[in-house]
Amino acid sequence: MKVEFAPLNIPLARRLQTVAVLQWVLYFVLLGQMSIAITVMLIIHNYWFLYIPYLTWLYFDWHTPEQGGRRSSWIKNWTLWKHFKDYFPIHLIKTQDLDPSHNYIFGFHPHGILAAGAFGNFSTNYSDFKELFPGFTSYLHVLPLWFWCPVFREYMMSIGLVSVSKKSVSYVVSKEGGGNISVIVLGGAKESLDAHPGKFTLFIRQRKGFVKIALTHGASLVPVFSFGENELFKQVDNPEGSWIRTVQDKLQKIMGFALPLFHARGVFQYNFGLMPYRKAIHTVVGRPIPVRQILHPTEEQIEELHQTYMEELTKLFEEHKGKYGIPEHETLVLK
């Protein structure tokens, strides 16, 4: 196979976009593990004056990711994130106004490999979120295990990420006065194993915890579909029942996160690497589903609202798929 190299005369703006996305990929793939390794080395070599103060701080700060986090406007405004957004590019589309006196849960679909649309639109300050949804603050929820990584957790919280635990979501949507949005990538790690280009498989049928939280706090549900999310990477073929998928499923159950074998392009060549393809992402925010507060919802009430949510999600996909190049015969597969 002939290697296609990147030309030398690439504009500076595109080079900066590549740097921005490269650090984002490394951020999710390596930095968490590196922060743990560095902490262990400090302990092994007895740099107590470094690790004891930090571990003491960590002990008292442990629950902050479940209490709204600790965002930094300075970091969220880094120009780096503008280049990140422009790399793909990432777009946010609103279909209906939301009432800032209410709280909402955005169900984000699909997960893709690294949920670039969720991060670019709801975590940085360079999307159109503030213009489209004035008066709202968004909280992007991620796996709690990321906040177990020393130092790395501080960086995650600084860009607006919080835990996806029940306690964390409840904290956001129970805030007085409204204007808060919990953004949850509902398919989670398991769904990333089905993130293949041209496929629209969502792991949603067993995800009902967000519905119960919405009912308990009276938070409206809003389906969100990110067109182009599954086109950013290719993944080694892993159909259900294959030995690769069996190993991936077992590791996911043990570790809590999935290990999709993905690849796309490189930094200096376009044939292979961990850099995502430059494919446009259009994240469409659907119509809100009003939810009446029920402090102790029954299984039937949870099931009914969950079914309504899946129907609205399907409608959102069907209404907009043609605008983003998806053939008419393609449909969502809900698992």
Side-chain angles (χ1 to χ4, degrees):
M1 181 177 64
K2 185 179 179 181
V3 178
E4 183 183 359
F5 289 97
L8 295 176
N9 59 340
I10 293 178
L12 177 61
R14 287 178 70 87
R15 292 189 184 279
L16 292 174
Q17 292 166 13
T18 298
V19 170
V21 173
L22 177 61
Q23 70 82 31
W24 171 73
V25 172
L26 294 176
Y27 163 77
F28 278 105
V29 175
L30 294 176
L31 292 186
Q33 295 87 327
M34 287 177 60
S35 70
I36 294 175
I38 292 172
T39 303
V40 171
M41 292 300 294
L42 290 175
I43 294 174
I44 290 175
H45 293 284
N46 199 29
Y47 286 94
W48 61 267
F49 54 90
L50 293 177
Y51 71 79
I52 287 182
Y54 181 74
L55 293 181
T56 301
W57 155 262
L58 190 61
Y59 175 81
F60 289 104
D61 193 59
W62 188 253
H63 296 293
T64 299
E66 294 184 323
Q67 298 171 346
R70 184 171 48 249
R71 60 186 60 205
S72 165
S73 296
W74 176 63
I75 293 179
K76 287 170 67 69
N77 283 320
W78 279 354
T79 308
L80 181 76
W81 306 127
K82 177 184 183 301
H83 297 309
F84 172 85
K85 173 198 170 187
D86 292 341
Y87 175 91
F88 300 98
I90 297 174
H91 305 278
L92 185 64
I93 296 94
K94 178 179 71 173
T95 60
Q96 190 169 319
D97 290 334
L98 302 182
D99 185 350
S101 66
H102 294 162
N103 292 324
Y104 295 82
I105 295 177
F106 280 15
F108 183 94
H109 311 270
H111 184 287
I113 297 297
L114 295 176
F119 179 80
N121 280 313
F122 302 114
S123 192
T124 77
N125 282 350
Y126 281 96
S127 76
D128 294 327
F129 177 81
K130 288 297 183 184
E131 289 71 32
L132 294 177
F133 301 101
F136 282 96
T137 301
S138 61
Y139 297 81
L140 179 56
H141 297 265
V142 298
L143 287 174
L145 63 86
W146 290 117
F147 298 101
W148 302 349
C149 304
V151 182
F152 179 65
R153 70 191 289 275
E154 317 303 334
Y155 181 46
M156 292 191 66
M157 283 193 287
S158 71
I159 54 178
L161 304 181
V162 293
S163 171
V164 77
S165 68
K166 176 183 177 181
K167 182 178 179 181
S168 177
V169 178
S170 296
Y171 178 90
V172 173
V173 298
S174 64
K175 281 189 170 186
E176 295 290 337
N180 301 288
I181 299 174
S182 276
V183 182
I184 308 174
V185 186
L186 291 175
K190 189 174 182 66
E191 190 174 278
S192 68
L193 299 177
D194 285 316
H196 294 273
K199 302 297 182 182
F200 307 97
T201 302
L202 307 182
F203 190 74
I204 182 66
R205 293 193 180 276
Q206 302 304 315
R207 305 291 200 197
K208 299 179 183 179
F210 75 103
V211 175
K212 185 175 182 179
I213 292 175
L215 284 166
T216 302
H217 298 284
S220 297
L221 293 174
V222 182
V224 178
F225 198 91
S226 196
F227 293 90
E229 197 74 45
N230 282 352
E231 310 303 315
L232 305 183
F233 296 93
K234 293 178 181 177
Q235 188 174 170
V236 172
D237 195 31
N238 60 341
E240 290 191 2
S242 65
W243 70 268
I244 293 178
R245 185 58 170 266
T246 300
V247 171
Q248 289 175 320
D249 286 338
K250 288 183 178 179
L251 288 174
Q252 191 264 324
K253 289 179 180 178
I254 294 171
M255 299 185 298
F257 60 91
L259 294 173
L261 302 176
F262 65 92
H263 60 91
R265 50 158 289 188
V267 176
F268 302 110
Q269 48 75 33
Y270 299 144
N271 295 75
F272 189 85
L274 297 181
M275 287 286 292
Y277 294 115
R278 287 181 180 267
K279 301 282 189 179
I281 299 172
H282 294 88
T283 303
V284 183
V285 180
R287 294 179 292 270
I289 303 169
V291 177
R292 179 173 58 87
Q293 184 176 20
I294 303 173
L295 293 179
H296 303 288
T298 64
E299 290 298 324
E300 290 76 16
Q301 290 168 327
I302 294 173
E303 186 63 39
E304 180 182 2
L305 181 56
H306 185 257
Q307 184 62 38
T308 299
Y309 179 85
M310 291 193 295
E311 291 171 358
E312 286 297 317
L313 173 61
T314 302
K315 288 179 185 177
L316 178 67
F317 177 80
E318 292 295 329
E319 288 173 4
H320 295 273
K321 66 181 182 181
K323 301 175 186 176
Y324 306 113
I326 299 174
E328 183 61 32
H329 68 273
E330 292 287 356
T331 59
L332 289 182
V333 177
L334 306 182
K335 297 171 64 177

